Amino acid sequence: MTASRRQLIDAFGRIHNNLRISVTDRCNIRCVYCMPERVEFMPREQLLNYEEIARFVRIAATLGIDKIRLTGGEPLVRKDLDELVHKLVGVEGIVDVGLTTNGILLAPVAQKLWDAGLRRINISLDTLDAERFKRLARRTGLEETIEGVLAAKRAGFDPVKVNAVIIRGFNEEDIAPLGRFAREHGVEMRFIEYMPLDAEQLWEREKVVFAAEILDVLASEVAPLAPVPNPDPRAPAVDYDYLDGGGRVGMIASISRPFCGNCNRMRLTSDGKLRNCLFALQETDVRGMLRSGAPDDQIIDALLKSVAAKWEGHEINTARYIQPDRAMHSIGG
Ligand code: SAM
């Protein structure tokens, strides 16, 4: 079989076409659910450079990877990210390059990223209240994030998706205001259930605000909603449309409706470790291969082996769950 005919299919028949690439473990904020206040970042020389990332993507594309999402840490703290976008958009077989960002540094570079070929953008914003922002992110930045959302709209991103994690005792009051904000500005709100990937192991099931509860709040305080017919079965979000035509909301219900059965995602950390799941306990070092001049076949083999070893699903809802050593900021959300 030639490399170009091979695909990333796991033992459960799931075909993987989606690669999330973390470009840094650094971040300019310290969200309580993601990162510790004090953190030792990886030395810069351990991070893959843009040429190394592009080579890995060229190889992965021969196995059917066609969608890339850049994430972090905060990807926009990495210099000249538009240059990486430009490189990846040009890789044969890659049809879609997206970015997940906290938006604080976005406004000045949104147009540059669009011009480089970025077409999908998700901006994280958990609250519209400056005090709660400071409590959740342990830094300021609300105004800059909102500026970033508006700049993304102006640059042409459509839809602009805004991601919020709702944590009981922190920001339930923000559900309806965020819903209204999204409608007012023509952006798509997506609510993510809080997952046990925080650095300080503060996660408790009681703190998770489930999608059903969020939908109830939106329906009663913003406007009635109905599920979107014929959803994309591989997408993590289940979408709902406002019945008054006020736009769309997505629910990423990782805990109450795990979507592992449709998972099509692989991950590359900023220090070049290949992971087959956010919750994986094992990873494969591809940086060593990239830096020692390993042939493409060796990296193809690593990808095929990693996907073959993928579990059926995360175990969050079972007693077997073991939290990975790396927190979210270091894996890449
Ligand atoms: N810094 C960028 C950002 O803020 O979007 C990209 C990285 S961040 C890790 C990616 C996404 O993961 C964000 O939307 C964030 O809210 C989400 N996230 C982080 N920790 C999480 C957790 N414990 N549970 C659910 N989502 C989480």
Side-chain angles (χ1 to χ4, degrees):
M1 205 190 274
T2 64
S4 60
R5 290 214 197 101
R6 280 188 280 186
Q7 278 189 306
L8 293 167
I9 308 181
D10 71 9
F12 304 91
R14 295 173 294 198
I15 299 173
H16 292 67
N17 69 320
N18 197 313
L19 177 67
R20 302 218 166 187
I21 302 174
S22 172
V23 295
T24 179
D25 61 332
R26 288 167 199 252
C27 191
N28 44 355
I29 55 178
R30 293 287 180 280
C31 296
V32 290
Y33 52 76
C34 185
M35 219 173 153
E37 173 62 67
R38 283 175 200 284
V39 54
E40 207 172 304
F41 292 119
M42 293 173 204
R44 280 176 206 283
E45 63 276 11
Q46 288 191 13
L47 303 188
L48 294 185
N49 65 38
Y50 290 168
E51 196 36 62
E52 288 166 337
I53 294 174
R55 178 173 174 222
F56 182 80
V57 169
R58 281 194 295 274
I59 295 169
T62 67
L63 293 171
I65 291 289
D66 61 5
K67 271 182 96 167
I68 302 287
R69 176 162 292 275
L70 301 176
T71 181
E74 171 47 43
L76 291 180
V77 303
R78 186 106 186 228
K79 228 172 125 229
D80 302 325
L81 194 72
D82 56 303
E83 287 177 13
L84 177 63
V85 170
H86 182 71
K87 274 186 202 291
L88 299 185
V89 165
V91 171
E92 195 182 330
I94 298 300
V95 295
D96 188 309
V97 179
L99 173 71
T100 300
T101 169
N102 63 33
I104 293 175
L105 300 172
L106 179 60
V109 296
Q111 189 64 52
K112 212 155 73 159
L113 289 165
W114 173 272
D115 295 342
L118 188 78
R119 287 295 175 269
R120 286 175 183 260
I121 199 155
N122 290 20
I123 302 167
S124 303
L125 174 61
D126 303 322
T127 176
L128 293 167
D129 176 274
E131 274 312 303
R132 278 199 292 279
F133 188 99
K134 237 165 121 181
R135 201 174 150 223
L136 272 165
R138 295 186 284 201
R139 297 289 186 276
T140 56
L142 175 61
E143 275 176 35
E144 292 87 339
T145 305
I146 293 175
E147 260 312 302
V149 172
L150 303 180
K153 282 284 294 179
R154 281 196 301 276
F157 291 96
D158 187 21
V160 171
K161 295 186 181 175
V162 174
N163 291 347
V165 179
I166 304 293
I167 303 180
R168 202 172 304 287
F170 272 95
N171 61 340
E172 306 102 300
E173 328 51 346
D174 282 290
I175 298 171
L178 284 168
R180 288 189 210 103
F181 169 86
R183 283 161 60 97
E184 204 176 300
H185 294 288
V187 300
E188 199 174 307
M189 211 49 233
R190 290 157 40 112
F191 291 94
I192 308 175
E193 286 178 353
Y194 177 29
M195 295 181 281
L197 284 170
D198 49 329
E200 288 151 316
Q201 310 241 341
L202 299 173
W203 187 88
E204 291 168 65
R205 183 166 290 274
E206 294 67 40
K207 291 187 187 153
V208 181
V209 181
F210 291 122
E213 184 177 336
I214 296 171
L215 279 170
D216 278 351
V217 173
L218 293 173
S220 65
E221 294 184 32
V222 182
L225 288 153
V228 172
N230 307 319
D232 173 359
R234 297 177 63 148
V238 176
D239 290 330
Y240 294 80
D241 281 341
Y242 286 108
L243 292 177
D244 65 0
R248 181 163 289 189
V249 184
M251 295 289 154
I252 305 184
S254 330
I255 313 288
S256 64
R257 191 200 63 93
F259 36 86
C260 307
N262 296 317
C263 186
N264 60 359
R265 285 171 288 282
M266 301 288 287
R267 291 169 188 273
L268 183 66
T269 66
S270 55
D271 56 338
K273 305 286 188 279
L274 178 63
R275 299 175 63 88
N276 58 24
C277 175
L278 202 47
F279 300 94
L281 299 175
Q282 284 178 342
E283 40 189 40
T284 308
D285 176 38
V286 289
R287 186 187 64 203
M289 297 180 200
L290 290 164
R291 293 198 176 163
S292 64
D296 289 3
D297 273 348
Q298 198 175 324
I299 294 166
I300 286 179
D301 207 45
L303 273 155
L304 291 169
K305 282 198 175 117
S306 175
V307 81
K310 184 158 171 152
W311 298 339
E312 189 169 8
H314 72 57
E315 303 264 13
I316 299 174
N317 295 314
T318 75
R320 294 184 297 274
Y321 180 68
I322 300 171
Q323 184 161 336
D325 287 342
R326 284 176 184 260
M328 187 68 134
H329 75 97
S330 156
I331 300 172

